[in-house]
Amino acid sequence: MAAGAQQGAVEVRESVELTEKEEKIFGRLLDVVRHFSLGTQVRVAGGWVRDKLLGKDSTDIDIALDNMTGQNFCERVNEYSEFLGEEQKGIGVIQCNPDQSKHLETATMLIDDIWIDFVNLRSEKYAENSRIPTVEIGTAKEDAFRRDLTINSLFYNINTKSVEDLTERGLEDLKKGLIATPLPAKSTFLDDPLRVLRAIRFAARFSFTLTEDLKEAASDENVKSELGSKISRERIGHEVDLMMSDKHPVDAMCYIRDLGLFYVVFAFPEKLDPPVLDTHDWLCVSHIEAAWNLAHSIGSSVFSGGSDPKSQDDQKRLCLYSALFIPVRNMVYMDKKKKKVPVVSYIIRDSLKLKASDADTIVNIHVASEKFAELVLLESNENLETVKEKLDDEYLEIPTDSVKRVLAGLILREIKGFWRVALFISALINPEVGNASGSLGKQGELNQRKEKYLSVERSITDLDLDSVWNLKPLLDGKAIMGVLEVKSGGPLIGKWQQRLVKWQLAHPKGTMEECKEWMKQSQQQSKRQKVECST
């Protein structure tokens, strides 16, 4: 797949059109400047300007000031509010952290229900053999040239109501759909290696093209080393998560692979079983590419387990992570407590520093996807007797026509609302292929897997199993003890609770009395069989 291929010129507006709220906010900032005779040029910097010129709405307003710090200006905003008899707002200050390439203090405050960041324009000077710059208040031109990308170096001057392209490349690159740096790419990336991932993210988001010198710099061994050692895993994980939640996550992953960044971004632990291969980057990206194609073929129903758009987006995000790490799903490592831990869990928790619940969900999706493989075979009754044997025991025999419902119900009770995602991953990996993108790029193969997914999904909904994880047992532990006529709980009761769930899945209309009767009869029958065996 050719990541980020741009088709034709990009439509860019000639000027910025402000919303009513933006007019109000910017008017207030100019009122502050005039009231205190500050003489400040107030500019909006970066992404907001880019998005407005592309005709997109944005609430990501970053204000750059030419003669004072962000905190000082915010204090003046509050003084002006007090002068008008209005409520003053809290000011948040994010300190600079040069060790993590965060070189500038930022003040933030809420104005008309929008959080706005305030910083002073700056210039950066690097001493020889130092990666930590001396930061000083600079001119707008100096500030534009030290930005990560030319398309993010544009300013909107609130005082003059005009767009300023001080690198003289920002507007041109935006129109051509190019991702480039204002200064030489290698030095730009060595100053702040996270800019490599930002370049990839914007290239994928807008389907823009990385320039050749940028790609060469991003692939440089020194840049990769600095990205792995200088940037916190939290910041790397945040960038990757933004890519996964964006419009073209596959393009972003292709860039990460093609630029040789996969093992830097997705750092693996030591002492793996089985060991990681040089080809795992290609294998992983081929699976997310295949997943993207299959999901588009099936439609949005894959993520309909979410109760609202936000949770559906989360299902989509975690589905893509699950697909990306299919080739390493069975790989484990030994943690400090000598416990075997899935490598996927390490990558999500430690390499990307995402939520522990994300790691757990992805691992659970992989586990459930293997179990769904049996259910897929049941659609054609291929392994009916084998599955029935696994589900049966001396106290419970599942009716043959209920085997599918019981198996599916047990799987869904474990994976809950992510069952469609797990089924989707199962359809993607069964039968497994080496080059997923190559095989699933063929329409016939894609259609077969799509039909497998839709067939099992229909069966589950026809069996009325969606939300089966909310099914309450007809009998609690105490009631089970009463039926069994035992005085204490323990493992015995736990086993009967598991049987009870199977019985309810096999008898969806069964009553509490019928359940008690089954327990009594099965217990008596088991006792008779044991007596007969002993004689």
Side-chain angles (χ1 to χ4, degrees):
M1 177 179 180
Q6 172 64 30
Q7 300 296 323
V10 179
E11 185 176 341
V12 177
R13 294 185 174 183
E14 292 298 318
S15 60
V16 168
E17 296 180 16
L18 301 181
T19 64
E20 188 176 331
K21 179 169 279 195
E22 288 164 346
E23 291 268 17
K24 184 179 176 182
I25 291 171
F26 296 167
R28 170 55 64 93
L29 300 182
L30 290 180
D31 287 344
V32 171
V33 172
R34 285 190 287 262
H35 180 78
F36 294 105
S37 301
L38 300 177
T40 306
Q41 289 290 305
V42 184
R43 294 175 170 89
V44 189
W48 181 90
V49 188
R50 176 201 67 224
D51 288 347
K52 296 292 281 190
L53 290 173
L54 290 173
K56 303 175 188 294
D57 291 330
S58 176
T59 57
D60 185 19
I61 300 175
D62 295 331
I63 299 295
L65 309 158
D66 68 341
N67 64 355
M68 63 195 312
T69 68
Q71 185 174 359
N72 288 340
F73 190 84
C74 287
E75 289 167 353
R76 291 303 178 94
V77 173
N78 267 340
E79 288 176 36
Y80 187 68
S81 296
E82 185 180 23
F83 170 75
L84 296 177
E86 297 175 356
E87 179 187 359
Q88 296 188 46
K89 302 293 185 180
I91 302 171
V93 179
I94 303 167
Q95 301 295 335
C96 60
N97 184 357
D99 290 337
Q100 297 295 340
S101 296
K102 179 73 175 172
H103 303 308
L104 193 63
E105 179 182 282
T106 304
T108 183
M109 76 183 306
L110 193 65
I111 300 179
D112 202 20
D113 298 326
I114 292 181
W115 284 102
I116 300 178
D117 288 348
F118 294 83
V119 296
N120 57 271
L121 293 171
R122 79 178 196 253
S123 66
E124 296 174 347
K125 294 183 175 64
Y126 287 83
E128 192 175 348
N129 299 323
S130 173
R131 292 289 177 225
I132 300 176
T134 301
V135 179
E136 300 173 350
I137 289 182
T139 65
K141 187 170 185 176
E142 287 172 327
D143 191 278
F145 271 96
R146 62 94 197 157
R147 301 229 163 220
D148 57 354
L149 304 171
T150 55
I151 63 170
N152 294 337
S153 69
L154 299 166
F155 291 114
Y156 175 73
N157 190 315
I158 294 175
N159 302 66
T160 62
K161 297 181 171 57
S162 63
V163 174
E164 298 173 336
D165 181 9
L166 301 177
T167 67
E168 299 182 357
R169 290 181 57 191
L171 288 171
E172 182 183 359
D173 287 347
L174 194 62
K175 290 174 182 177
K176 290 181 177 178
L178 291 178
I179 298 296
T181 55
L183 296 174
K186 185 174 177 179
S187 60
T188 297
F189 292 157
L190 288 174
D191 291 345
D192 183 356
L194 192 69
R195 290 169 173 171
V196 176
L197 298 185
R198 286 174 55 81
I200 289 171
R201 175 159 62 87
F202 288 120
R205 175 186 294 178
F206 298 119
S207 294
F208 283 7
T209 302
L210 298 177
T211 59
E212 288 304 315
D213 66 317
L214 188 148
K215 287 194 287 187
E216 184 178 338
S219 303
D220 183 86
E221 290 302 321
N222 288 336
V223 171
K224 288 194 280 187
S225 176
E226 290 284 272
L227 177 61
S229 63
K230 187 178 180 183
I231 303 301
S232 72
R233 301 312 304 187
E234 286 86 353
R235 293 181 74 197
I236 290 175
H238 180 64
E239 281 297 323
V240 171
D241 220 33
L242 290 173
M243 295 176 197
M244 284 296 206
S245 304
D246 222 327
K247 294 180 180 178
H248 304 292
V250 175
D251 284 0
M253 294 305 109
C254 285
Y255 272 132
I256 285 174
R257 175 199 64 197
D258 295 344
L259 295 172
L261 297 167
F262 187 87
Y263 298 109
V264 179
V265 173
F266 305 110
F268 284 67
E270 297 178 355
K271 298 179 181 177
L272 304 179
D273 182 25
V276 67
L277 304 174
D278 290 341
T279 55
H280 267 117
D281 53 349
W282 284 88
L283 289 171
C284 288
V285 175
S286 75
H287 277 82
I288 192 175
E289 191 173 354
W292 189 256
N293 294 335
L294 184 58
H296 276 270
S297 177
I298 293 171
S300 59
S301 70
V302 176
F303 314 114
S304 61
S307 56
D308 54 66
K310 185 178 179 181
S311 61
Q312 288 171 17
D313 288 344
D314 209 39
Q315 290 219 344
K316 179 180 176 183
R317 180 180 67 90
L318 293 174
C319 177
L320 291 172
Y321 278 119
S322 301
L324 180 67
F325 297 124
I326 282 172
V328 297
R329 69 189 184 281
N330 296 321
M331 197 178 285
V332 296
Y333 77 104
M334 300 291 284
D335 67 7
K336 293 177 181 178
K337 297 179 181 178
K338 303 296 181 184
K339 179 183 175 183
K340 287 186 176 181
V341 178
V343 164
V344 173
S345 181
Y346 177 91
I347 294 172
I348 299 298
R349 288 174 184 251
D350 297 280
S351 293
L352 303 179
K353 294 293 184 183
L354 301 182
K355 294 181 293 185
S357 60
D358 285 350
D360 293 342
T361 299
I362 293 166
V363 169
N364 290 339
I365 287 170
H366 285 156
V367 171
S369 69
E370 302 287 358
K371 295 178 180 179
F372 266 123
E374 284 190 317
L375 196 60
V376 171
L377 292 174
L378 270 184
E379 285 297 298
S380 54
N381 293 322
E382 285 183 44
N383 60 338
L384 183 62
E385 289 304 318
T386 304
V387 173
K388 181 171 164 33
E389 279 182 31
K390 287 182 181 179
L391 295 174
D392 288 347
D393 66 19
E394 60 181 303
Y395 297 100
L396 175 65
E397 183 175 351
I398 306 294
T400 301
D401 58 358
S402 298
V403 169
K404 186 190 296 184
R405 190 175 199 278
V406 174
L407 177 62
L410 292 175
I411 298 172
L412 264 64
R413 283 176 68 83
E414 288 184 13
I415 195 64
K416 299 182 172 63
F418 280 87
W419 71 265
R420 284 185 173 86
V421 173
L423 173 58
F424 173 83
I425 295 297
S426 183
L428 193 66
I429 63 178
N430 293 298
E432 194 153 7
V433 292
N435 181 5
S437 61
S439 298
L440 291 183
K442 299 173 182 176
Q443 195 60 42
E445 181 71 23
L446 193 69
N447 287 338
Q448 283 182 17
R449 292 175 190 255
K450 173 183 174 181
E451 285 309 312
K452 281 183 181 178
Y453 171 88
L454 293 175
S455 174
V456 176
E457 184 193 37
R458 277 193 299 268
S459 290
I460 288 172
T461 52
D462 289 347
L463 291 167
D464 195 26
L465 286 172
D466 202 359
S467 299
V468 72
W469 50 92
N470 295 323
L471 176 71
K472 293 182 179 179
L474 290 171
L475 303 174
D476 59 18
K478 190 175 181 180
I480 292 172
M481 288 167 62
V483 176
L484 298 178
E485 297 180 348
V486 296
K487 295 182 179 179
S488 61
L492 174 67
I493 303 304
K495 289 179 180 178
W496 274 103
Q497 286 174 322
Q498 293 171 6
R499 289 188 192 105
L500 178 60
V501 170
K502 292 180 187 178
W503 186 89
Q504 284 186 235
L505 289 170
H507 306 86
K509 295 182 180 179
T511 65
M512 184 186 297
E513 292 306 316
E514 289 171 337
C515 182
K516 288 180 178 179
E517 186 61 29
W518 154 70
M519 287 182 66
K520 290 175 183 176
Q521 289 184 0
S522 61
Q523 193 180 29
Q524 290 169 0
Q525 184 177 350
S526 177
K527 286 179 181 178
R528 285 197 299 270
Q529 289 174 345
K530 287 177 181 177
V531 170
E532 290 171 2
C533 289
S534 64
T535 57

